[in-house]
Amino acid sequence: MRAHVLAALGVLKFATADQVQRLMAPGHKDNKAFRNAALDLVRHGLAVSEGSARDGNKL
């Protein structure tokens, strides 16, 4: 999942976990794995949380 999140962020720059999930794995029912992958990237300094989207989801 980390690779999917990194690939999406390389193109989009800003995205919610839900947006990444819909783009990279539309068949998945929820975005928990993508949220966890994004948190892992933040822990390793490869991504940064930049607030929230209009719908309240974390960017």
Side-chain angles (χ1 to χ4, degrees), residues 16-54:
T16 65
D18 187 53
Q19 291 168 329
V20 174
Q21 177 264 322
R22 285 186 284 147
L23 177 68
M24 303 303 284
H28 281 247
K29 293 184 181 185
D30 66 24
N31 62 16
K32 184 173 182 168
F34 290 92
R35 290 192 319 264
N36 289 338
L39 289 172
D40 185 57
L41 292 172
V42 170
R43 277 193 297 271
H44 288 90
L46 299 171
V48 178
S49 176
E50 289 291 330
S52 299
R54 290 182 186 158

